[in-house]
Amino acid sequence: MRISELSRASGVSIATIKYYLREGLLPPGETTARNQADYSDEHLWRLRFVRVLREVGGLGIESIRAVLVAVNDDQRSLHEVLGVAHHALSPASPSGEEFPEMDEVDTLLRRLGWKVSPAAPDRWALAETLAALRRLGRDVDATTFLPHAQAVEQLAAVEVSSLDPSAGRAQAVEQAIVGTVVYEAALVALRRLAHEHHSALQASNSQRTADR
Amino acid sequence: MRISELSRASGVSIATIKYYLREGLLPPGETTARNQADYSDEHLWRLRFVRVLREVGGLGIESIRAVLVAVNDDQRSLHEVLGVAHHALSPASPSGEEFPEMDEVDTLLRRLGWKVSPAAPDRWALAETLAALRRLGRDVDATTFLPHAQAVEQLAAVEVSSLDPSAGRAQAVEQAIVGTVVYEAALVALRRLAHEHHSALQASNSQRTADR
């Protein structure tokens, strides 16, 4: 298909497609004539993937490039590629610094029976949240996250088992990454909606008490 | 206390404190002598709050300002202020555009019995995730998010009820926002760790099958 058809089918503007081509996020089409190139379904599919990473995952160009390089690297296992994607998606790269809360997070992970890489950026991220709660004067330890851990474990088990094992490697990787990005965005949105609902409930309950 | 003590106690550098003062994120201290000002516990507490919004919530200066303005506005209910905070925390502002998935999201919310504002940015965000899944060729409807909704509803109920109702208004608002920011970051980190664990489990299971 021509670039105009690729644009229509993907919902990505021609200017943006040209930008992705320049940046190497999209491989060049097959040249069919001077100033004309032909694009395949592979291009369409790749473009949709980049769009999800950008719009739903909020990733910048550099992070998208890192994910694509990992997806294309056959030497890496699905498991490793997911690690790269999680790293790219993490709001801040971990400093690598060890702080007291790390030990408590590791104790929590052992208690849950979760096997995770010591280099997982989310180990740091979780320790950071615990440290933040304490800096704000809350008297908490890592077990405060236990209900959250149990809730997400069930969801993760369902999500991982829904991946199609017969899919090709590239597709399996992308399935997993898209699932991570999209279901994570959905989970965060739902959590805020649930909060709005419960804070409204609580406000109307205390109003009713005050009216008596 | 002097600015150097405020810096030590908060873990925020003097240069950054001066930047926040210039930007109006921190009210000026009381002038005690030429070029010297005295800062109170209120300053220390505010500084810690800004630090959490920045480091854990990943908010930029403009978004932090919007949250602080809402917190200081006595005309706004706790519930409204939380809405402002959720809006500031949303990765992208909703376009205001209505698209087909919005109706499905509303049906899901009714089914759950959640009362949320039609203007809640997360209504759009959730519809966006559903649209993204479909663009990627997944045959899904809004009920795919039902297990996620039920999981976060339990967590939100626990989190909202743990807020101290006897706290002053400013403190209640900040408790709620900090809870939103920090527990959300923790939930996302835990979800990724759970995914890592389950994808490792699945990889070792299929390896074992292949070895037979």
Side-chain angles (χ1 to χ4, degrees):
Chain A
M1 69 193 98
R2 291 165 69 167
I3 197 166
S4 54
E5 295 165 275
L6 184 63
S7 168
R8 249 194 316 274
S10 64
V12 177
S13 72
I14 294 181
T16 303
I17 294 177
K18 287 187 173 167
Y19 172 64
Y20 290 166
L21 287 165
R22 278 198 307 278
E23 291 287 326
L25 299 190
L26 201 64
E30 202 186 325
T31 311
T32 51
R34 204 175 142 77
N35 283 329
Q36 247 186 47
D38 191 50
Y39 298 91
S40 64
D41 283 348
E42 169 70 27
H43 284 94
L44 177 56
W45 184 82
R46 168 70 67 111
L47 208 45
R48 286 183 173 146
F49 182 52
V50 169
R51 195 178 162 193
V52 168
L53 293 178
R54 259 194 110 160
E55 294 181 6
V56 184
L59 261 59
I61 294 298
E62 282 315 309
S63 302
I64 294 176
R65 201 197 310 277
V67 171
L68 292 176
V69 166
V71 166
N72 291 334
D73 180 354
D74 289 340
Q75 299 298 306
R76 296 199 189 215
S77 68
L78 174 55
H79 188 56
E80 282 172 326
V81 176
L82 257 184
V84 171
H86 285 174
H87 200 105
L89 289 163
S90 294
S93 294
S95 57
E97 189 194 339
E98 293 278 334
F99 45 101
E101 284 79 8
M102 296 293 289
D103 284 340
E104 297 178 62
V105 165
D106 288 340
T107 305
L108 176 70
L109 293 173
R110 268 196 305 274
R111 181 165 163 188
L112 290 162
W114 293 3
K115 274 186 262 179
V116 297
S117 146
D122 295 299
R123 244 179 96 240
W124 269 272
L126 194 58
E128 247 304 305
T129 59
L130 187 57
L133 286 172
R134 286 187 177 153
R135 273 200 300 275
L136 287 154
R138 305 244 188 145
D139 180 24
V140 287
D141 58 40
T143 57
T144 188
F145 298 133
L146 211 47
H148 302 77
Q150 284 156 347
V152 292
E153 176 159 19
Q154 288 182 339
L155 297 174
V158 170
E159 288 169 19
V160 168
S161 69
S162 77
L163 299 179
D164 178 4
S166 71
R169 182 182 177 283
Q171 253 193 309
V173 168
E174 271 125 356
Q175 268 188 22
I177 292 176
V178 166
T180 299
V181 171
V182 178
Y183 283 98
E184 180 171 305
L187 188 69
V188 165
L190 283 164
R191 180 175 176 281
R192 292 177 184 179
L193 292 167
H195 259 263
E196 186 178 330
H197 169 61
H198 278 278
S199 93
L201 271 187
Q202 206 183 32
S204 75
N205 284 346
S206 39
Q207 190 54 48
R208 220 171 297 144
T209 312
D211 286 348
R212 261 176 214 155
Chain B
M1 69 191 99
R2 292 165 67 166
I3 197 167
S4 54
E5 294 165 275
L6 184 63
S7 167
R8 249 196 316 275
S10 64
V12 177
S13 73
I14 293 180
T16 302
I17 294 177
K18 287 186 173 166
Y19 171 63
Y20 290 165
L21 286 165
R22 277 198 307 278
E23 291 287 325
L25 299 189
L26 200 65
E30 199 185 329
T31 311
T32 50
R34 205 177 140 80
N35 284 326
Q36 246 186 48
D38 192 52
Y39 297 91
S40 64
D41 282 348
E42 169 70 28
H43 284 93
L44 175 56
W45 183 81
R46 168 71 66 109
L47 208 45
R48 286 183 172 146
F49 182 52
V50 169
R51 194 178 163 192
V52 168
L53 292 177
R54 259 195 109 160
E55 295 181 6
V56 183
L59 261 60
I61 294 297
E62 281 317 307
S63 303
I64 294 176
R65 200 197 310 276
V67 172
L68 292 177
V69 166
V71 166
N72 291 333
D73 180 354
D74 290 339
Q75 299 297 307
R76 296 198 188 216
S77 69
L78 173 56
H79 188 53
E80 282 173 324
V81 176
L82 256 183
V84 172
H86 285 174
H87 200 106
L89 288 163
S90 294
S93 293
S95 56
E97 191 193 339
E98 293 278 332
F99 45 100
E101 284 79 6
M102 296 293 289
D103 284 341
E104 298 179 62
V105 165
D106 288 339
T107 304
L108 176 71
L109 293 174
R110 268 195 305 272
R111 181 166 165 187
L112 289 162
W114 292 4
K115 275 185 263 180
V116 298
S117 148
D122 296 300
R123 243 179 96 240
W124 269 272
L126 194 59
E128 247 304 305
T129 59
L130 187 57
L133 285 172
R134 286 187 177 152
R135 273 201 300 275
L136 288 155
R138 305 247 186 141
D139 180 24
V140 287
D141 58 38
T143 57
T144 187
F145 298 132
L146 211 47
H148 301 78
Q150 285 156 346
V152 292
E153 175 160 17
Q154 288 182 339
L155 297 175
V158 171
E159 288 169 19
V160 168
S161 69
S162 77
L163 299 179
D164 178 2
S166 70
R169 182 181 177 282
Q171 252 193 308
V173 168
E174 271 125 356
Q175 269 188 23
I177 292 175
V178 165
T180 299
V181 171
V182 178
Y183 282 99
E184 178 171 306
L187 188 69
V188 165
L190 283 164
R191 180 176 175 280
R192 293 178 182 178
L193 292 166
H195 259 263
E196 185 178 330
H197 169 61
H198 278 278
S199 94
L201 271 186
Q202 204 183 35
S204 75
N205 284 347
S206 42
Q207 191 51 49
R208 221 172 295 142
T209 314
D211 287 348
R212 260 176 214 154

